[in-house]
Amino acid sequence: MGVKVAVVGGGSTYTPELVEGFVTRGDRLTVDELALLDIDAERLAIVGGLAERMLRRAGWSGRLVLTGDRDRALEGAGFVLVQLRIGGQAARFSDETIPPRYGCIGQETTGPGGFAKALRTVPVVLELAEETARRGAPDAWFVDFTNPTGLVTQALLDEGHRALGLCNVAIGFQRRFAAHFGVGPERVQLEHVGLNHLTWERKVHVDGVDRLPELLEGSMDLVSDEVDLPAELIRAVGAIPSYYLHYYYRTAQVLHEQRNGKKTRAEEVMEIEAGLLELYKDPLLDTKPALLEERGGAFYSDAAAALVASLHAGTGDVQVVNLRNDGAIPGLPDDAVVEIPAVIDRDGAHPLPVAPLEPDMLALVEHAKGYEILAARAAVTGDRRIALRALMSNPLVGDFDVARPLLEALLGANRGYLPRFFAGDAPAPYAG
């Protein structure tokens, strides 16, 4: 029996990745209806047109719906995937450019920029989850790919929603290690541990044998270039950090680069997206263009479609997701949302226990998790005192005299998207 899948932010340039993932998993997941929801009708028509051509090329016989009507999209959906961006790339540009003026890293998922994005995003995603619970199919799954994924998932689970968070960092590492060792991705299993965008690869099993020591001692070009960290640092840590750890491990260097004219990622993505949308308009294009990999969503299709397929079919395979800790990482609360491998079946994701984190890793994870909990609370309540505490507790801020004026700058720049902080303001719409 088939299912309905709704994609919130269906006009995103990521969508062809997702369509490709569903097409290649038709043996485990029969999608009867795919609903793409977006408030930007022109963009949705362009992306939806390519999605239609891709699906028909694959021989798909289901129904594709392009809509700006939230209720229509969510009605009867068994899976709701969220990949929206509140405020679009313009808001991301503010996230990346305001913090450096106050001596802080400017980035859209970590530091003050990630905090601003969380304030804009959490209330909208919670509203979507509540509407899914009302309108979706019984026991519908709500899957969040919207950053900051771990923080958003924490808010969703704290509110009791049937939700999981998803990121493409782990699957990206898996694919790159598989290529390095010349094996299929299914033969590579990672011990990927931490919080979303704050993780380490502590084991790289290839056919059951841990090849991490070999990588650390001999193949550091593959690793250090990927994560933008020196080999000496990675060997000292004894694990492969995700790219996002370089914001914590080399804060001064990154801030120097940001303050000295380095193009922001928002500007780069704007250019890439403009090029992608022009490609998508081509009526002869019916496959995912190679340029999409530069967008930052490489392997997203595999991660998202594999998760939905396994939840639907109950295959019991292991995937990396954001979910409650439930004792998997010793020393962290059970209700803390972490990013680790889990067994996926029809009942959901079941975290696999891992060895304790090293003291430096645990300290950073605990610090960041405390910030995430406060930031989620601030987003829901619109309480400026909680927001100030959250920003002060962010590992990339940590100073009251910085946090206070920075908070006012971030709130002011995002006023149109933060009605809970500015009573009486009409909320701005979300963007894909």
Side-chain angles (χ1 to χ4, degrees):
M1 183 178 176
V3 297
K4 176 180 177 178
V5 176
V7 181
V8 182
S12 168
T13 52
Y14 282 130
T15 296
E17 282 270 2
L18 189 58
V19 169
E20 181 185 67
F22 288 142
V23 164
T24 57
R25 285 175 174 80
D27 58 330
R28 289 193 295 146
L29 177 68
T30 301
V31 179
D32 290 337
E33 181 177 331
L34 177 60
L36 304 182
L37 168 66
D38 208 287
I39 62 168
D40 188 329
E42 180 181 4
R43 183 168 173 139
L44 181 60
I46 295 170
V47 175
L50 174 57
E52 175 82 26
R53 295 190 297 274
M54 291 176 67
L55 290 166
R56 299 312 169 204
R57 181 177 187 270
W60 184 64
S61 59
R63 183 183 184 193
L64 177 66
V65 175
L66 310 180
T67 182
D69 185 335
R70 183 187 67 179
D71 295 347
R72 168 69 182 85
L74 299 181
E75 192 70 42
F79 295 91
V80 176
L81 277 62
V82 183
Q83 55 181 25
L84 55 80
R85 180 181 294 278
I86 309 299
Q89 296 296 336
R92 178 179 186 164
F93 182 77
S94 293
D95 295 342
E96 295 177 348
T97 55
I98 292 176
R101 301 177 202 161
Y102 297 84
C104 297
I105 296 290
Q107 210 277 331
E108 68 149 347
T109 62
T110 61
F115 170 72
K117 192 171 196 293
L119 296 187
R120 295 193 302 269
T121 304
V122 166
V124 174
V125 174
L126 288 177
E127 183 180 334
L128 285 163
E130 290 161 7
E131 196 62 31
T132 296
R134 286 191 289 269
R135 294 184 176 275
D139 295 326
W141 278 103
F142 194 88
V143 179
D144 180 70
F145 188 68
T146 295
N147 283 319
T149 299
L151 197 159
V152 172
T153 306
Q154 184 77 57
L156 284 164
L157 295 182
D158 286 350
E159 293 294 321
H161 294 292
R162 198 167 192 246
L164 292 169
L166 183 67
C167 180
N168 66 338
V169 168
I171 198 170
F173 270 127
Q174 181 199 40
R175 296 302 193 265
R176 289 173 178 84
F177 293 145
H180 174 74
F181 289 113
V183 301
E186 71 282 354
R187 293 168 61 184
V188 178
Q189 293 290 331
L190 305 176
E191 186 179 88
H192 175 101
V193 297
L195 309 180
N196 178 243
H197 289 187
L198 189 65
T199 53
W200 299 263
E201 311 304 328
R202 297 197 304 183
K203 293 181 181 178
V204 181
H205 283 119
V206 180
D207 295 332
V209 178
D210 185 13
R211 306 290 290 273
L212 178 62
E214 176 184 335
L215 288 169
L216 292 178
E217 292 306 317
S219 304
M220 291 307 292
D221 287 345
L222 168 75
V223 174
S224 61
D225 291 346
E226 178 73 20
V227 301
D228 199 16
L229 289 169
E232 179 183 2
L233 186 156
I234 298 170
R235 290 192 177 108
V237 172
I240 299 173
S242 78
Y243 168 83
Y244 296 91
L245 263 298
H246 90 285
Y247 295 113
Y248 299 91
Y249 288 158
R250 305 196 79 189
T251 307
Q253 175 64 29
V254 174
L255 183 57
H256 173 77
E257 293 172 356
Q258 291 185 345
R259 286 177 141 180
N260 286 275
K262 183 178 180 181
K263 183 183 288 188
T264 66
R265 180 60 179 163
E267 292 170 304
E268 293 174 353
V269 171
M270 287 179 199
E271 294 174 3
I272 293 169
E273 285 199 332
L276 283 170
L277 290 171
E278 283 302 312
L279 289 175
Y280 291 1
K281 291 177 183 178
D282 182 354
L284 300 180
L285 181 68
D286 59 3
T287 59
K288 179 189 71 176
L291 179 62
L292 185 52
E293 292 190 9
E294 297 182 26
R295 170 65 179 83
F299 309 118
Y300 165 45
S301 64
D302 279 339
L307 178 58
V308 171
S310 296
L311 287 169
H312 178 67
T315 47
D317 52 328
V318 176
Q319 298 178 34
V320 173
V321 293
N322 285 260
L323 76 174
R324 289 204 185 280
N325 183 46
D326 286 338
I329 301 179
L332 292 182
D334 286 348
D335 61 355
V337 168
V338 296
E339 187 171 283
I340 55 175
V343 175
I344 311 297
D345 60 24
R346 288 190 179 93
D347 294 325
H350 311 280
L352 293 174
V354 298
L357 294 172
E358 289 295 309
D360 53 333
M361 295 178 182
L362 180 60
L364 185 52
V365 165
E366 288 180 320
H367 192 171
K369 178 49 65 177
Y371 149 73
E372 287 187 353
I373 291 170
L374 284 170
R377 194 180 301 167
V380 170
T381 62
D383 188 315
R384 288 174 181 251
R385 290 181 177 178
I386 297 175
L388 179 60
R389 290 169 58 200
L391 197 55
M392 282 194 301
S393 67
N394 189 296
L396 293 174
V397 181
D399 186 298
F400 170 76
D401 292 318
V402 172
R404 183 171 57 176
L406 177 53
L407 174 63
E408 292 308 312
L410 293 172
L411 293 179
N414 289 280
R415 182 179 186 121
Y417 303 103
L418 302 177
R420 299 186 186 201
F421 284 89
F422 298 95
D425 286 7
Y430 58 84

